[in-house]
Amino acid sequence: MTRQTKKYTIVLLMMMLLLSACGSKSDSGGGKTDEAQNNGSASKERVVTVYEDAKRAESEEMKKKIADFTKETGIKVELNIVPGDGLEIYKKIDVDMISGEKTDVIRLTNPILTDKYGSNGWLYPLDELMAKENYDANKIYGKYLPKFQDGKTYVLPDQAGKWAVYYNKKIFDDAGVPYPTGEWTWDDYIETAKKLTNPAKGIYGSYMLDYDNYMYMLARQYDVSGYKEDGTSNYDDPAFKKALQFFGDLGNVQKIQPSWLEFKSKKLSWDGFMSGDYGMHFIGTWYTNQFKDKTTYPRDWKVGITQIPVPADGKGNNNFGIVAGYGINKNAAHLDDAYTYVKWMAENSYKYNGNLPARVDLSDEDIKALFQKTSDDLNGEITVDEMDKALISNNLGFVDEKIIGPGSTEYSNIILQEAELYLVGQKSLDDTIKSIKERADRAIKDAAQ
């Protein structure tokens, strides 16, 4: 083959490839650009991709929400399912954000994650999308709308949960212990849990998880800040030392719940209370949906709810909670449909999960209707009045459950890492508090640079 023949052959092949590509693009999108298709404006099937952990993906709540969303909007939802629970998923998403993964929507379950993803530049700003349709997020979500230093909106909140004590009525009945109601202290909680605990039957009176805020929940009830006025860590405040010792003693000394070592070695789960082996569970109201889901969690016992205990001195009388919500990956492949999904979930999620909504535009009647629906879904196991007393009509204040501020993600990790050494007996309480303070100060300083 001559050089000129080779030249013509190459040109011919390039023309054939070009024609093939044009034909392919025409077949799939009528000659529209890939970007237009990705945004759902020209594709035959509108779609949004969403990160979800394996357990939530299989829940009846999630299935129902997705079905209703698709029915209402015509947008198909494809889940990017990450094995494990609600903590493991963010290890995967963190890597994906750095590598440019295009999964559209990220659910952010607490303020630390919201601040991290927004501040890292991993989320798409929603302001222009909202402006196009005059969507007034401040009017709808008010104080619950997450704020960022650059003044932009990256997340729409779907819940503003509070904490409560859920209890297994069967375990109370079997032990002959009256159900807890109304105001009570942590001393009352411990004494109640002792009466319920039955090692011979494998029953603990209490169940708590391995979240960082359990380590300092008493400090939050006193509304002690995680930061001093000069911006450094405030973890050397005596309230944090007292709080960590209190939590550790529940398992190691009082023995009313699994110790940290038992929790970790047995790989106990965030939904472990649903096993029926625990009398009481201190957790956020997002947990309500587990009781509705009889498919995933079949049970032969009924659940009750009451308000959180407070310190015996009566001064730390705050409840606490979190604002969770949805954001859009800055590299989202289906931007417009992702925005529709985020907005819909923010406005409607509370109707499905029994949690308290992050909407300030709802009336008292709307909240009572929500409680009534939850009661109906639970066949009256929990009444409207019980939910109202536990969560709304009490004398409790409200503070953030997490330590939020500069370097808060690393701050949280440091607390978990150092506290674990104390909880398993490898480090003294004083040394633990000192290490948290010193490491947190460095993390705060690094975050400011």
Side-chain angles (χ1 to χ4, degrees):
M1 183 180 292
T2 66
R3 182 177 298 176
Q4 189 160 348
T5 301
K6 288 181 180 179
K7 179 179 179 180
Y8 287 138
T9 301
I10 293 172
V11 172
L12 180 60
L13 286 172
M14 291 178 65
M15 292 179 64
M16 291 175 64
L17 288 171
L18 182 60
L19 288 171
S20 175
C22 290
S24 174
K25 185 175 289 187
S26 177
D27 290 340
S28 62
K32 299 293 184 181
T33 64
D34 289 340
E35 181 180 1
Q37 292 180 52
N38 285 340
N39 285 338
S41 60
S43 59
K44 295 179 181 179
E45 183 179 58
R46 298 175 64 190
V47 64
V48 59
T49 55
V50 182
Y51 281 107
E52 197 56 80
D53 68 77
K55 287 198 174 183
R56 271 181 50 88
E58 290 301 316
S59 69
E60 293 302 312
E61 170 206 345
M62 199 68 227
K63 293 176 182 177
K64 176 63 174 171
K65 282 200 293 189
I66 288 174
D68 287 354
F69 169 78
T70 298
K71 181 179 180 181
E72 184 174 325
T73 65
I75 301 172
K76 179 182 177 182
V77 178
E78 294 181 356
L79 298 181
N80 182 346
I81 299 176
V82 180
D85 60 20
L87 292 177
E88 293 297 318
I89 186 172
Y90 295 101
K91 297 178 182 178
K92 161 69 172 172
I93 300 176
D94 284 357
V95 174
D96 284 356
M97 292 301 97
I98 296 172
S99 64
E101 164 65 30
K102 295 183 180 297
T103 297
D104 300 312
V105 176
I106 305 168
R107 181 173 176 265
L108 300 159
T109 57
N110 66 61
I112 291 178
L113 289 168
T114 296
D115 181 69
K116 172 184 175 180
Y117 278 70
S119 299
N120 283 355
W122 290 347
L123 302 179
Y124 189 92
L126 305 177
D127 305 271
E128 290 186 5
L129 296 170
M130 294 190 297
K132 288 180 181 179
E133 58 175 1
N134 295 318
Y135 188 77
D136 192 343
N138 282 299
K139 182 178 180 180
I140 298 172
Y141 308 106
K143 62 183 179 181
Y144 298 121
L145 186 66
K147 302 295 192 299
F148 296 88
Q149 289 186 349
D150 62 5
K152 295 181 180 180
T153 303
Y154 294 97
V155 173
L156 294 185
D158 74 315
Q159 61 178 262
K162 294 182 179 179
W163 282 57
V165 173
Y166 296 93
Y167 57 91
N168 183 323
K169 293 181 178 180
K170 183 176 185 299
I171 290 180
F172 272 81
D173 292 342
D174 290 346
V177 177
Y179 301 150
T181 58
E183 297 180 4
W184 60 331
T185 68
W186 281 112
D187 291 339
D188 297 328
Y189 180 92
I190 291 170
E191 290 307 308
T192 301
K194 285 180 177 179
K195 295 174 183 178
L196 302 175
T197 299
N198 188 333
K201 294 183 178 180
I203 293 174
Y204 279 108
S206 173
Y207 193 66
M208 296 185 190
L209 306 181
D210 56 350
Y211 301 164
D212 63 318
N213 54 300
Y214 281 101
M215 317 295 158
Y216 52 80
M217 59 186 182
L218 257 64
R220 294 309 299 134
Q221 286 197 286
Y222 287 106
D223 197 14
V224 179
S225 174
Y227 298 84
K228 297 182 185 296
E229 290 186 3
D230 63 3
T232 59
S233 168
N234 193 38
Y235 225 83
D236 54 351
D237 187 293
F240 288 104
K241 177 180 176 179
K242 181 180 178 180
L244 179 56
Q245 182 175 18
F246 172 82
F247 175 74
D249 284 353
L250 295 178
N252 294 332
V253 178
Q254 306 292 352
K255 299 187 183 303
I256 60 173
Q257 66 184 27
S259 67
W260 187 269
L261 183 60
E262 183 181 356
F263 192 99
K264 290 297 185 178
S265 62
K266 291 185 177 180
K267 298 182 179 179
L268 300 181
S269 175
W270 65 270
D271 55 355
F273 183 71
M274 303 308 296
S275 68
D277 296 331
Y278 306 95
M280 298 181 289
H281 189 20
F282 181 53
I283 193 70
T285 49
W286 58 267
Y287 203 86
T288 303
N289 191 63
Q290 319 314 313
F291 305 112
K292 299 179 184 180
D293 187 356
K294 295 292 186 70
T295 301
T296 306
Y297 305 105
R299 54 189 172 90
D300 62 353
W301 48 276
K302 294 182 179 180
V303 66
I305 188 174
T306 192
Q307 69 185 61
I308 73 170
V310 297
D313 63 10
K315 297 178 181 178
N317 63 340
N318 288 302
N319 196 343
F320 42 75
I322 59 170
V323 174
Y326 288 84
I328 300 176
N329 179 0
K330 71 172 183 179
N331 298 313
H334 315 94
L335 181 58
D336 291 339
D337 291 338
Y339 169 62
T340 300
Y341 182 90
V342 166
K343 186 174 60 173
W344 192 93
M345 287 295 169
E347 293 178 358
N348 296 287
S349 283
Y350 76 93
K351 301 174 184 177
Y352 297 81
N353 56 27
N355 208 340
L356 297 176
R359 293 178 56 176
V360 299
D361 61 336
L362 300 178
S363 65
D364 291 342
E365 288 71 25
D366 291 328
I367 301 299
K368 290 292 179 67
L370 168 63
F371 288 160
Q372 185 62 61
K373 182 179 185 304
T374 298
S375 181
D376 293 342
D377 289 343
L378 291 172
N379 297 316
E381 291 182 51
I382 298 175
T383 68
V384 172
D385 184 60
E386 287 170 337
M387 283 182 275
D388 180 63
K389 287 181 178 178
L391 303 171
I392 304 296
S393 300
N394 51 46
N395 296 317
L396 300 176
F398 182 80
V399 293
D400 287 333
E401 71 178 58
K402 296 284 189 181
I403 294 176
I404 308 299
S408 56
T409 300
E410 184 60 22
Y411 203 155
S412 171
N413 292 333
I414 290 168
I415 292 170
L416 285 171
Q417 293 163 8
E418 295 292 338
E420 179 167 311
L421 297 177
Y422 165 70
L423 294 171
V424 300
Q426 294 183 9
K427 203 167 189 176
S428 72
L429 180 60
D430 287 335
D431 285 346
T432 299
I433 297 299
K434 180 181 179 182
S435 294
I436 293 175
K437 161 67 175 170
E438 291 175 349
R439 291 184 60 192
D441 279 341
R442 291 196 295 270
I444 293 168
K445 184 178 180 180
D446 290 344
Q449 294 178 350

